[in-house]
Amino acid sequence: ETGVTQSPTHLIKTRGQQVTLRCSSQSGHNTVSWYQQALGQGPQFIFQYYREEENGRGNFPPRFSGLQFPNYSSELNVNALELDDSALYLCASSPEAANTGELFFGEGSRLTVL
Amino acid sequence: AQRVTQPEKLLSVFKGAPVELKCNYSYSGSPELFWYVQYSRQRLQLLLRHISRESIKGFTADLNKGETSFHLKKPFAQEEDSAMYYCALKKDNQGGKLIFGQGTELSVKP
């Protein structure tokens, strides 16, 4: 069973740039959630994708957007990067209709914005 | 607003001592509460959920709706319990959206 994989693991961008982060869900999982974890904080929900549609969004501006593909992999896009976007971005997958709250996390992509 | 509070950033105990990691929440509906754990150089993973009423690795947690708390307890801490612990709340029918606390780092000394 393949776990959640994320890429890249680390990246550095400058203010105003755009970034795309990628996530492959765990085998058999068709729901993907994205979280932002700032240093010293708990993960904060960005949005969730289910069957290629956004299915819930946290308190993040529209410059945070996402996609889910037919193979259930997902992308997180952030436009017009700001210094405060520096964080660990976590992807988590879960199986359909589980609604159990059990999420399977990737190792994250650490974004630094200079 | 929904919120999860973990008042301690760091909890340090000696091996064999009891440990209690505190978690308080605010939510007007029927919450489901979870504890997630992140061991060194590992990914975040589920430790236990209140619905299951189970003991995992000797840890238990009871949901106290009156006190809006979900404290994590273990009677005898082990060195391998050292990790970051996050309390999380799931709102009704929103499986993927968890509200996490800030986390408590547990350090178990020999």
Side-chain angles (χ1 to χ4, degrees), chain B:
Chain B
Q2 301 82 31
R3 186 180 302 163
V4 174
T5 303
Q6 295 179 248
E8 303 138 328
K9 290 199 82 133
L10 173 64
L11 184 63
S12 185
V13 301
F14 286 102
K15 176 182 172 182
V19 63
E20 180 178 71
L21 289 83
K22 291 183 168 52
C23 172
N24 289 90
Y25 68 92
S26 62
Y27 178 55
S28 56
S30 295
E32 290 185 47
L33 275 295
F34 305 82
W35 279 98
Y36 275 77
V37 62
Q38 186 167 26
Y39 301 102
S40 179
R41 285 187 286 277
Q42 293 188 28
R43 58 190 68 194
L44 193 60
Q45 60 186 287
L46 178 67
L47 178 64
L48 56 79
R49 69 194 88 187
H50 91 267
I51 282 181
S52 301
R53 301 186 65 80
E54 57 200 344
S55 172
I56 303 292
K57 299 185 179 183
F59 284 98
T60 59
D62 290 318
L63 180 60
N64 186 323
K65 291 187 177 180
E67 296 184 358
T68 60
S69 69
F70 187 57
H71 303 328
L72 183 67
K73 301 176 184 179
K74 185 170 183 176
F76 307 103
Q78 303 299 314
E79 289 180 69
E80 55 265 31
D81 296 327
S82 295
M84 280 295 298
Y85 290 81
Y86 294 94
C87 182
L89 177 152
K90 178 175 86 75
K91 300 199 297 183
D92 299 337
N93 296 319
Q94 296 190 34
K97 179 179 179 180
L98 298 181
I99 300 168
F100 284 87
Q102 294 161 299
T104 297
E105 180 182 356
L106 174 64
S107 175
V108 181
K109 299 180 177 179

Side-chain angles (χ1 to χ4, degrees), chain A residues 11-113:
Chain A
L11 69 166
I12 300 173
K13 293 285 187 177
T14 56
R15 255 186 325 177
Q17 284 189 312
Q18 178 265 343
V19 68
T20 297
L21 307 178
R22 295 178 176 84
C23 171
S24 293
S25 61
Q26 181 163 316
S27 176
H29 292 183
N30 63 3
T31 302
V32 172
S33 303
W34 286 92
Y35 286 79
Q36 181 195 65
Q37 186 173 22
L39 200 60
Q41 302 295 318
Q44 187 173 359
F45 176 74
I46 303 175
F47 43 55
Q48 179 185 73
Y49 277 83
Y50 171 63
R51 291 186 173 180
E52 303 178 54
E53 297 283 333
E54 187 179 290
N55 181 36
R57 187 179 183 93
N59 189 27
F60 280 81
R63 59 191 184 84
F64 285 77
S65 63
L67 283 173
Q68 187 179 31
F69 300 99
N71 66 354
Y72 308 130
S73 65
S74 178
E75 286 182 355
L76 164 65
N77 298 288
V78 187
N79 294 321
L81 284 167
E82 301 177 0
L83 297 179
D84 284 349
D85 295 334
S86 295
L88 181 68
Y89 288 85
L90 295 169
C91 172
S93 72
S94 54
E96 177 171 3
N99 200 30
T100 62
E102 180 172 9
L103 301 180
F104 295 80
F105 283 88
E107 294 181 318
S109 293
R110 185 165 296 284
L111 171 65
T112 301
V113 182

